[in-house]
Amino acid sequence: MQKAQVRFDRDFIIGETDRRLFGAFVEHLGRCVYGGIFEPRHPTADKNGFRRDVLDLVRELAPTIMRYPGGNFVSGYDWEDGVGPVEKRPRRMDLAWKSIETNEFGTNEFIDWCRLADIEPMLAVNLGTRGPDEARHYLEYCNHPSGTTLSDLRRSHGWEKPHDVKFWCLGNEMDGSWQMGAKTANEYGRVATEAAKMMKLTDPTIELAACGSSGRKMSTYGDWERVVLEHTFEHVEYISLHTYLNNYADDTPSFLASPDLMDSFIEEVVAIADSVAARRRSSKRIMLSFDEWNVWYRTRRGDENRIQTGWPVAPSILEEKYNMQDALAFGGACISLLNHADRVKAGCLAQLVNAIAPIMTETGGPAWRQTIFWPFADFSNLGRGRVLRTFVDVPTYSTRYYDPTRTEELYDKMEAVPYLKVSAVHSEADRTVTLFMLNRNLSDGIEVDLEATGFGTLSRQRAHELRHDDLSALNTKEKPDEIKPREFDAIEATNGWIKIKLSPASWTVVRFDTSK
Ligand code: AHR
């Protein structure tokens, strides 16, 4: 068994987790909307056509904010198509996912669904095929109370009260060649600035996120963030980040190390944003919206899923089946986000149902939890509070991570990757400290010596672990509970010292009550 020391102190705080850190994403993509959250003919559907079985799982998963309607989809979307009488809504070609969009589900239905699920909506405007004018009109339709053509149009559609959507994304992945209406940093920076100005004149209470690079491996990465923020700095509150972890190389130690690249990504974007602030002698701090993150590779490379023939409605695309090791890498990503709670103020797991999702459904049939459901539910349900700086002394390993992009193939050299990745969250309100721990050692357990100062006595309140002897095991419709958390009791407390014995290749969450 390897040995580790973990130390933290009540007063050494990274930052408070923002409620919006624990978000997810619903895109008009495959069966995420149709056959996912919305399926009027499903036996559990309510009067709005929302699947109640999916809603129950969403409540358990506990995402706090939901991004909509895309993604790549939004860059060709006309929001007007998705409002008004359903029978009059047009069927359109969605060029992003080579599908037919029926528009049976649109913004108002999405808002109703969010309210029912107790989730804050996050909307994206189309800055691909459209621009600032439509963006301000969409906002006016949603948020203006009444007395203008667009706000009265919403009221005539049956939504008397404004939707009051506070968080808006200025387009999606606008640097990507695959994006409809892709732009250079200067082109996007100008358009985003003008859209932002008009949107804030329409509703000054909103917050805006500018698009960062669509990935850290884009050749324009870094310059893109700098140029875009030089244009938009005065007008936005956030810059976005997107990451999909992969195991293309079938190399589990590297895959489990890869969340650490999210730490680097976050720290680099913070540095760029702050350098733009520094050049302006500004004390304003741009926050980070990590509004797409997940594991995604099996259904991605070569875009197999976009080459379906014909123009189907809601095709079964991007239906990644997540196994045990995906859940471990995913847990590592949750820890990366928690440990940057001072600057990452919004986050969206991409996505929610069926398409690269924690929840799977069969159209007309049951819904079940994928393996990644579990670390996300821990993250969201137990990760609220002050994230503490942790000192972790544990053996390390070196590896290299294969991270292909659409334009280039690169290996990241990763030196001194700690076998144990940890986050500690203190909730003063609940008088608890929660530890999130990923043991990346595949063959050996880790015995953790814990030293926590400033809390009085820590006593175990609850603890569970996620592990499986077979790292390729997964949950299916037939075996939905193959991977699920199990009670964890390998915790010893003697004379104020706490020892925790972690299993090899495991995700473990321990919540302590504090006496102070
Ligand atoms: O989440 C799937 C897709 O990944 C999104 O539509 C796009 O923004 C990203 O490339």
Side-chain angles (χ1 to χ4, degrees):
M1 181 145 311
Q2 283 187 321
K3 300 257 185 218
Q5 262 201 6
V6 173
R7 283 187 236 154
F8 52 86
D9 185 292
R10 183 190 184 108
D11 291 330
F12 298 163
I13 300 160
I14 294 175
E16 186 91 26
T17 53
D18 194 294
R19 197 184 136 74
R20 288 173 170 158
L21 184 63
F22 310 101
F25 181 23
V26 165
E27 176 168 0
H28 284 257
L29 192 187
R31 295 192 307 122
C32 185
V33 172
Y34 306 108
I37 62 173
F38 178 76
E39 194 185 326
R41 279 178 289 281
H42 192 270
T44 71
D46 68 8
K47 64 176 183 350
N48 294 309
F50 303 150
R51 278 184 69 151
R52 272 189 285 233
D53 58 342
V54 171
L55 260 168
D56 287 345
L57 289 178
V58 170
R59 290 195 181 102
E60 205 186 306
L61 185 73
T64 49
I65 189 166
M66 198 63 62
R67 186 164 175 249
Y68 175 85
N72 296 338
F73 172 81
V74 78
S75 294
Y77 184 53
D78 294 341
W79 64 269
E80 301 88 333
D81 290 350
V83 298
V86 174
E87 58 289 357
K88 292 203 178 135
R89 296 189 193 170
R91 286 167 74 88
R92 300 276 190 206
M93 292 170 89
D94 162 28
L95 305 185
W97 302 109
K98 281 201 83 200
S99 318
I100 293 297
E101 175 52 54
T102 63
N103 284 305
E104 272 171 273
F105 185 97
T107 301
N108 296 321
E109 290 79 21
F110 173 69
I111 299 287
D112 281 352
W113 183 86
C114 284
R115 303 295 179 225
L116 205 60
D118 192 22
I119 291 172
E120 180 187 355
M122 173 194 285
L123 292 181
V125 298
N126 173 357
L127 294 187
T129 59
R130 306 187 88 185
D133 201 38
E134 289 81 5
R136 69 164 173 137
H137 286 151
Y138 188 23
L139 173 61
E140 181 184 332
Y141 177 90
C142 288
N143 281 12
H144 197 67
S146 64
T148 65
T149 301
L150 287 171
S151 55
D152 289 342
L153 183 65
R154 182 200 66 242
R155 294 171 64 229
S156 77
H157 289 158
W159 282 266
E160 175 64 31
K161 291 215 178 98
H163 295 326
D164 203 21
V165 177
K166 293 290 180 217
F167 197 114
W168 292 77
C169 307
L170 294 166
N172 176 68
E173 295 191 347
M174 298 305 307
D175 61 332
S177 56
W178 58 92
Q179 203 69 214
M180 284 174 265
K183 293 179 172 45
T184 65
N186 273 309
E187 286 167 350
Y188 171 69
R190 287 290 306 123
V191 167
T193 301
E194 294 309 314
K197 276 163 55 185
M198 291 187 217
M199 290 174 78
K200 288 211 168 154
L201 285 169
T202 306
D203 180 352
T205 70
I206 61 169
E207 292 174 66
L208 293 170
C211 288
S213 300
S214 44
R216 186 168 175 248
K217 281 291 176 287
M218 295 296 287
S219 56
T220 50
Y221 170 59
D223 265 354
W224 172 277
E225 279 71 8
R226 178 183 58 76
V227 173
V228 165
L229 283 176
E230 269 162 10
H231 283 283
T232 57
F233 188 82
E234 312 298 343
H235 307 283
V236 305
E237 285 70 36
Y238 303 88
I239 181 118
S240 72
L241 291 82
H242 292 178
T243 288
Y244 292 100
L245 304 175
N246 78 75
N247 191 10
Y248 286 125
D250 195 14
D251 170 358
T252 307
S254 302
F255 182 38
L256 299 189
S258 67
D260 293 13
L261 297 169
M262 283 172 70
D263 297 287
S264 310
F265 188 15
I266 292 168
E267 286 154 26
E268 288 156 8
V269 174
V270 166
I272 297 166
D274 290 354
S275 78
V276 175
R279 279 159 58 94
R280 302 167 113 85
R281 295 141 187 96
S282 170
S283 60
K284 175 173 175 177
R285 288 294 170 264
I286 298 286
M287 295 299 168
L288 275 47
S289 173
F290 217 123
D291 50 35
E292 285 187 33
W293 66 271
N294 198 348
V295 170
W296 176 26
Y297 64 102
R298 300 175 184 88
T299 58
R300 180 177 194 183
R301 205 169 182 190
D303 281 354
E304 299 96 317
N305 289 283
R306 295 175 67 183
I307 322 177
Q308 74 263 7
T309 48
W311 286 84
V313 174
S316 304
I317 55 173
L318 273 61
E319 298 199 355
E320 193 95 349
K321 311 269 183 297
Y322 291 107
N323 63 22
M324 181 61 217
Q325 58 181 299
D326 296 331
L328 296 177
F330 185 98
C334 295
I335 291 176
S336 296
L337 294 172
L338 286 171
N339 286 346
H340 292 91
D342 53 336
R343 294 304 289 269
V344 184
K345 293 292 178 189
C348 300
L349 154 60
Q351 299 198 3
L352 185 70
V353 192
N354 292 326
I356 45 172
I359 299 170
M360 283 300 291
T361 70
E362 187 177 77
T363 304
W368 63 97
R369 303 170 192 84
Q370 293 235 59
T371 61
I372 60 170
F373 182 99
W374 295 113
F376 189 92
D378 289 337
F379 170 59
S380 183
N381 286 302
L382 303 171
R384 318 288 175 92
R386 287 183 187 153
V387 183
L388 304 174
R389 284 190 192 289
T390 42
F391 166 81
V392 182
D393 186 14
V394 68
T396 61
Y397 65 105
S398 293
T399 187
R400 54 186 210 147
Y401 171 66
Y402 174 65
D403 187 359
T405 67
R406 287 158 212 257
T407 50
E408 53 199 325
E409 292 190 348
L410 289 175
Y411 281 95
D412 276 292
K413 238 176 130 182
M414 302 188 71
E415 308 279 4
V417 178
Y419 277 105
L420 176 64
K421 192 167 167 88
V422 179
S423 187
V425 181
H426 173 214
S427 166
E428 208 159 37
D430 297 344
R431 293 167 68 107
T432 58
V433 170
T434 306
L435 285 184
F436 299 84
M437 292 169 286
L438 170 67
N439 178 6
R440 312 192 242 214
N441 192 321
L442 304 185
S443 50
D444 219 352
I446 299 183
E447 184 178 290
V448 180
D449 265 327
L450 192 70
E451 193 182 340
T453 42
F455 302 100
T457 310
L458 294 185
S459 46
R460 176 191 189 280
Q461 187 206 80
R462 56 196 275 193
H464 55 258
E465 70 169 0
L466 195 67
R467 58 169 297 277
H468 197 286
D469 289 339
D470 177 5
L471 288 181
S472 63
L474 36 80
N475 292 340
T476 58
K477 184 182 85 167
E478 291 73 28
K479 281 188 167 182
D481 294 326
E482 183 65 19
I483 311 271
K484 66 173 188 192
R486 284 167 217 282
E487 209 38 43
F488 176 79
D489 53 15
I491 306 173
E492 282 169 29
T494 31
N495 306 327
W497 281 95
I498 296 177
K499 266 194 204 318
I500 305 173
K501 289 186 181 154
L502 302 175
S503 309
S506 62
W507 164 260
T508 307
V509 179
V510 182
R511 173 164 275 200
F512 295 100
D513 288 320
T514 65
S515 68
K516 294 211 247 197

